Amino acid sequence: MNAIRLSRNERAGDRRIDVSFEFFPPKDEAMEKILWESIERLAPLSPNFVSVTYGAGGSTRERTHATVKRILGETPLTPAAHLTCVAATKAEIDEVVRNYHDAGVRHIVALRGDSMEGAGAKYAPHPGGYETSAKLVEGIKRVSSDFEVSVSAYPEKHPDSPNVDADIDMLKAKVDAGAGRAITQFFFENDLYFRYLDRVRARGIDIPIVPGILPVQNFKAATNFAARAGASVPAWLADRFHGLDNDPATRKLIAAAVAAEQVLDLVDRGVTNFHFYTMNRADLVFAVCHLLGLRPAVDQAA
Ligand code: FAD
């Protein structure tokens, strides 16, 4: 009763809500400006960490490094660098990992990545490269055991997996190799997450499985993205955005309401840790975090 009027603090009780934010490296100056405005707006919310993606096929290698190093040098935030096995030998990847370590980075999000032809094309490991994400986790830990390593998890299974059990086998291999946290692919039906969590726990995997939340900035783009990622888009969600193609202001309100409803339901069901796919835009994420009870550090100090 009155659930929607309760604040996060009342919902979560004494439990602390932790968030992390994911960004992608900017392609040009205009996008760089947007990214840094977003980082500046979200930074006062004191996220656990902020992660920076690694473009398909390692295409953003330099830009990922530059963004991670700038976060480290110019903000109080803790960066996590995404890294994939694609298009590089083990020695090349180890060198990247050592460089991060030398620069002071201590958190890597380790992924297999997709074929150079893009998501959906058949994946083949690079000759002399890490064959799987689990081997990459092992390699990172070999370079330095003080790296925190996060990995992916797929509540609706990865498109390459024959079934959820095969996916959980891979997650188990990544955990056995040293991964300390999994971040899920985004999903819109919370029951999918909890069903997956039950199966993961039943396999004896006890690391945090942090839900990845995608605030829907653009429904069409989110649908395309979901099709490639193997995430389902429920009819009720399509219905909520129906007829709003030329109404960006209402779309934004609906997107905030959808994301708020999702995270508040997760909090009610015991979740206290969230990873936001920001798409480099702060507004929706900031609003949802506000609903979760997060306040800029300066307000809390006042
Ligand atoms: P894994 O967990 O290694 O594998 C996923 C599943 O595919 C496994 O369960 C396994 O059953 C199956 N599988 C794996 N390899 C094979 C194989 N050779 N044959 C048959 N089945 C196989 N991509 C990027 O390019 N850059 C990023 O920065 C990035 N960040 C991401 C962050 C998160 C939180 C998530 C969820 C995904 C991210 N991705 C990123 C996407 C990811 O690279 C792709 O989904 C990729 O296809 C799988 O990589 P993975 O490490 O998630 O897969």
Side-chain angles (χ1 to χ4, degrees):
M1 241 185 42
N2 282 348
I4 217 69
R5 298 219 309 269
L6 291 176
S7 73
R8 182 274 311 185
N9 288 333
E10 288 163 299
R11 283 164 174 261
D14 290 338
R15 290 170 301 154
R16 181 194 145 95
I17 299 280
D18 283 314
V19 295
S20 50
F21 303 131
E22 182 171 310
F23 301 100
F24 60 84
K27 271 200 182 90
D28 53 37
E29 262 179 52
M31 287 173 75
E32 173 131 9
K33 188 166 175 288
I34 292 171
L35 168 68
W36 282 92
E37 282 168 4
S38 300
I39 291 179
E40 274 161 28
R41 181 146 164 77
L42 293 172
L45 298 178
S46 310
N48 243 5
F49 63 91
V50 295
S51 77
V52 182
T53 63
Y54 199 70
S59 56
T60 66
R61 191 153 150 171
E62 298 313 321
R63 282 185 277 131
T64 298
H65 298 184
T67 307
V68 167
K69 287 184 184 158
R70 187 168 165 196
I71 290 171
L72 203 58
E74 296 181 20
T75 77
L77 299 170
T78 305
H82 291 220
L83 184 61
T84 73
C85 307
V86 179
T89 64
K90 287 181 193 166
E92 287 165 339
I93 289 179
D94 290 355
E95 182 61 20
V96 170
V97 175
R98 263 191 298 276
N99 281 337
Y100 275 134
H101 196 270
D102 291 346
V105 177
R106 292 292 183 274
H107 186 172
I108 293 186
V109 182
L111 303 139
R112 183 198 73 175
D114 289 308
S115 142
M116 295 288 275
E117 284 83 55
K122 193 168 165 42
Y123 180 84
H126 186 72
Y130 286 106
E131 294 104 8
T132 65
S133 50
K135 297 271 184 213
L136 174 61
V137 176
E138 232 173 73
I140 293 166
K141 287 285 188 181
R142 224 179 359 252
V143 171
S144 174
S145 60
D146 51 315
F147 272 117
E148 183 179 352
V149 182
S150 296
V151 293
S152 63
Y154 294 88
E156 298 183 75
K157 91 172 186 63
H158 184 276
D160 287 354
S161 293
N163 51 51
V164 177
D165 284 335
D167 235 51
I168 295 178
D169 287 344
M170 179 59 89
L171 180 61
K172 176 88 173 62
K174 295 190 281 194
V175 174
D176 290 346
R181 172 194 298 96
I183 300 168
T184 76
Q185 186 58 277
F186 64 89
F187 55 89
F188 296 109
E189 296 280 14
N190 290 345
D191 285 353
L192 290 166
Y193 168 77
F194 288 108
R195 272 204 293 274
Y196 175 74
L197 196 62
D198 284 347
R199 292 174 76 161
V200 166
R201 297 295 182 233
R203 279 292 302 274
I205 298 171
D206 59 5
I207 62 166
I209 309 290
V210 180
I213 305 294
L214 178 74
V216 180
Q217 328 256 1
N218 175 331
F219 181 70
K220 209 167 161 191
T223 307
N224 291 337
F225 191 23
R228 288 199 306 274
S232 60
V233 178
W236 60 259
L237 186 62
D239 191 49
R240 287 188 182 181
F241 286 98
H242 182 75
L244 297 177
D245 287 355
N246 300 317
D247 186 350
T250 308
R251 272 205 319 263
K252 204 164 176 179
L253 289 170
I254 299 291
V258 165
E261 199 180 326
Q262 178 174 24
V263 295
L264 293 177
D265 179 61
L266 288 166
V267 169
D268 282 347
R269 297 164 79 176
V271 175
T272 53
N273 210 333
F274 297 91
H275 183 78
F276 287 95
Y277 295 106
T278 69
M279 310 308 283
N280 290 5
R281 308 272 166 171
D283 283 0
L284 281 175
V285 175
F286 190 89
V288 174
C289 286
H290 189 89
L291 266 177
L292 283 171
L294 300 180
R295 298 289 181 270
V298 65
D299 283 11
Q300 282 166 3

